[in-house]
Amino acid sequence: MNKFLTLSVILLTTIPLSHAQLKGALKSAKEKTEKAVESVPSTSGSSSNSSGTKPAGSINGEPAYDPESPTYRAYSIVRDEINSTKNILGDDHWNKNVEGRNEDATRYLAKAKENLTKLQNDPVESKKPYVKNLAASWDEVEATRKQKFEVYTLNKEYSEKLDQYHRFATSGWEISDKSLEPSYTGYHKFKSEFETKRPDYVKDGYVQKRFADIDNYFNVEVYKVVPELNAQVDAVIKRIHEKNSDGEESYLLNAKSYQKEFEQPLADILYNKQYLLENKTDINAVQAKLEKEKAVLDEYVSSGKCDAHRAKYHQKMVDAVRLAPKKMSNPKYEGMALAGVEKGKATRAVITSDIWLVKKNEWGLPLYKYLPVDIAVTIDGKCWLAYGQIRKDYEGGGQYGGEYFNYWGSQEEMNCANTMK
């Protein structure tokens, strides 16, 4: 400013002017000097100037430092809370505890918004540029917070779904999320969606390791079930065709039980084909082998041939049942046996030993003597071979007590025509 005045004086003294002209020139120079001074912006601060007055606000109209001023307090709170939020949105802070940092950021911005509203509602302050700048800054920071938290939320959502597939593949846990299908098709669909919608997060090492484990399950591990199922099917087929004591294949009598034995392997084959095995070549071969054998059983059972053969075999077994040969005649003991039958009508009793047999305990001491007895019993029109014993309990000193009958119950069905044979 002093240089400007000095230059003006020099210029005026070097030009011959009239008194009036000189007076006008000095006035013009003074006005220009005052405008130049006014155009220089003052800076806000916490200290007063040399004259003791408070400094004026900045070019954007921010209020000067004055802790007693509600306007300055509102301005400083907005400014500080926005800056604090920017700080915690930095990756170094944000990534350490996203949910906690988001809560802090939300709280800081809410406090900033509350005080920004006060400034916006002030008829004087609301027109100043700094208020609009603060509002724009608040919007920008809030948008950043929302965007970062949305990324975190979506990444977390996909990570949790990935973990469910990982536990399913590595530990056999059930997938509880009903939006996820526990199958190779469901997994491939999820993986494709993950790669499309979370292209940055999918590159994370943790995510890639989990994908590698699940890929190994669906590409390698699931196919280990095929030889296991094949062995199960082969075992059933082998039993089906084994020969019994009569030289007949086992299925002729047991077709219905073998039908049931095929149920679980077939169910496992169908489940693995639908959910786990993308390549079905080998499992289809196992299924074809099972269904070929099962078709034979199904036709044999549905035609009635199985029931007819079983009835014939059963009758053969019934016809073969006889009371054992009589080894001792004793009307008293035979009468005790006939009277001791608990159910049905006893028609004949045969003592099947010619001597008393001794039952001993584990130390070789006698418990009782007995005579085995076969009994023919009729129950509801059918005849049965029953069994019992005439007993004498050991009383010590080489002495046994009196006889009594111990009934064991019916054992096998027999032909009524053979009860006297």
Side-chain angles (χ1 to χ4, degrees):
M1 180 175 70
N2 292 334
K3 289 182 179 180
F4 180 83
L5 291 174
T6 303
L7 179 60
S8 299
V9 172
I10 292 172
L11 289 173
L12 290 173
T13 57
T14 58
I15 302 173
L17 298 171
S18 66
H19 178 77
Q21 289 174 325
L22 179 61
K23 183 177 180 181
L26 290 172
K27 180 179 179 182
S28 175
K30 180 179 179 183
E31 290 174 350
K32 291 179 178 179
T33 300
E34 288 175 348
K35 289 181 179 179
V37 171
E38 290 174 355
S39 68
V40 177
S42 63
T43 57
S44 60
S46 60
S47 61
S48 303
N49 59 26
S50 59
S51 64
T53 60
K54 295 181 180 179
S58 75
I59 193 171
N60 290 321
E62 290 94 337
Y65 175 78
D66 183 359
E68 301 300 322
S69 167
T71 299
Y72 176 79
R73 288 201 300 272
Y75 157 71
S76 63
I77 289 173
V78 176
R79 176 196 62 198
D80 293 345
E81 296 298 333
I82 289 176
N83 287 335
S84 295
T85 304
K86 288 179 179 180
N87 182 52
I88 65 174
L89 289 177
D91 289 343
D92 289 345
H93 292 289
W94 180 260
N95 292 334
K96 290 180 180 179
N97 180 4
V98 175
E99 294 185 9
R101 295 295 182 267
N102 185 65
E103 290 180 1
D104 292 340
T106 302
R107 187 171 66 255
Y108 294 163
L109 289 175
K111 188 173 182 180
K113 186 68 171 178
E114 177 185 351
N115 286 274
L116 177 60
T117 301
K118 293 178 182 178
L119 297 174
Q120 291 172 325
N121 290 336
D122 187 303
V124 176
E125 296 300 313
S126 63
K127 298 176 181 179
K128 295 181 180 180
Y130 85 91
V131 176
K132 293 182 179 179
N133 291 342
L134 287 176
S137 180
W138 188 95
D139 290 341
E140 180 182 355
V141 173
E142 168 61 4
T144 300
R145 181 202 67 79
K146 289 177 67 175
Q147 185 271 334
K148 289 177 75 73
F149 192 67
E150 181 180 353
V151 168
Y152 165 78
T153 301
L154 289 175
N155 286 349
K156 181 181 179 183
E157 176 185 338
Y158 276 84
S159 180
E160 289 174 349
K161 291 181 177 180
L162 179 62
D163 284 345
Q164 290 214 33
Y165 271 117
H166 190 263
R167 289 192 293 268
F168 171 79
T170 61
S171 303
W173 288 24
E174 181 181 354
I175 293 179
S176 59
D177 188 336
K178 300 306 180 184
S179 69
L180 303 177
E181 183 180 275
S183 68
Y184 69 90
T185 54
Y187 167 64
H188 290 330
K189 177 182 177 183
F190 166 75
K191 185 178 182 182
S192 177
E193 182 181 309
F194 198 129
E195 292 170 338
T196 301
K197 294 189 176 180
R198 314 308 306 156
D200 294 328
Y201 185 49
V202 79
K203 299 174 185 176
D204 181 84
Y206 173 87
V207 172
Q208 285 298 310
K209 176 61 171 63
R210 281 211 164 358
F211 274 133
D213 290 341
I214 304 170
D215 287 342
N216 180 69
Y217 173 73
F218 281 112
N219 294 333
V220 178
E221 295 298 322
V222 294
Y223 292 95
K224 293 179 180 179
V225 75
V226 178
E228 295 175 1
L229 287 170
N230 187 59
Q232 291 179 30
V233 171
D234 283 346
V236 179
I237 292 174
K238 181 180 179 181
R239 291 195 295 274
I240 285 174
H241 298 291
E242 285 178 344
K243 301 293 182 64
N244 59 22
S245 59
D246 292 335
E248 293 182 335
E249 289 186 301
S250 180
Y251 82 90
L252 294 174
L253 289 174
N254 303 301
K256 292 181 180 180
S257 64
Y258 290 129
Q259 282 179 313
K260 293 185 178 298
E261 285 193 47
F262 272 140
E263 288 178 359
Q264 190 58 54
L266 182 57
D268 291 341
I269 288 170
L270 296 176
Y271 172 82
N272 280 273
K273 285 180 62 175
Q274 180 177 355
Y275 294 106
L276 304 182
L277 304 180
E278 188 170 6
N279 184 338
K280 300 175 175 60
T281 303
D282 293 338
I283 197 71
N284 282 340
V286 178
Q287 182 179 354
K289 178 167 53 176
L290 182 154
E291 290 181 340
K292 178 181 178 182
E293 295 290 336
K294 187 173 181 297
V296 173
L297 298 178
D298 292 345
E299 191 281 329
Y300 180 63
V301 170
S302 63
S303 67
K305 295 177 182 178
C306 180
D307 288 338
H309 190 76
R310 286 176 61 86
K312 181 180 178 180
Y313 181 82
H314 175 71
Q315 190 59 50
K316 179 181 177 182
M317 297 299 294
V318 168
D319 291 344
V321 176
R322 300 284 194 280
L323 274 66
K326 185 176 184 178
K327 294 294 184 68
M328 178 188 295
S329 293
N330 188 311
K332 175 183 176 183
Y333 295 158
E334 294 166 2
M336 292 173 61
L338 293 172
V341 171
E342 297 172 358
K343 182 179 180 181
K345 179 181 179 182
T347 58
R348 184 185 177 206
V350 174
I351 301 172
T352 60
S353 175
D354 55 2
I355 61 172
W356 286 90
L357 305 173
V358 178
K359 175 67 175 179
K360 297 181 179 180
N361 62 19
E362 57 186 328
W363 297 288
L365 300 176
L367 296 174
Y368 56 83
K369 285 182 177 181
Y370 68 96
L371 293 171
V373 182
D374 281 2
I375 310 162
V377 180
T378 301
I379 303 174
D380 298 330
K382 291 185 177 183
C383 294
W384 298 83
L385 169 64
Y387 183 76
Q389 294 175 336
I390 303 296
R391 285 189 186 180
K392 293 181 180 181
D393 291 335
Y394 183 67
E395 296 179 342
Q399 301 297 315
Y400 289 86
E403 304 93 340
Y404 66 94
F405 180 68
N406 180 256
Y407 183 55
W408 283 28
S410 58
Q411 307 295 309
E412 301 173 86
E413 185 182 354
M414 63 185 300
N415 191 327
C416 291
N418 295 329
T419 58
M420 301 307 294
K421 295 181 181 179

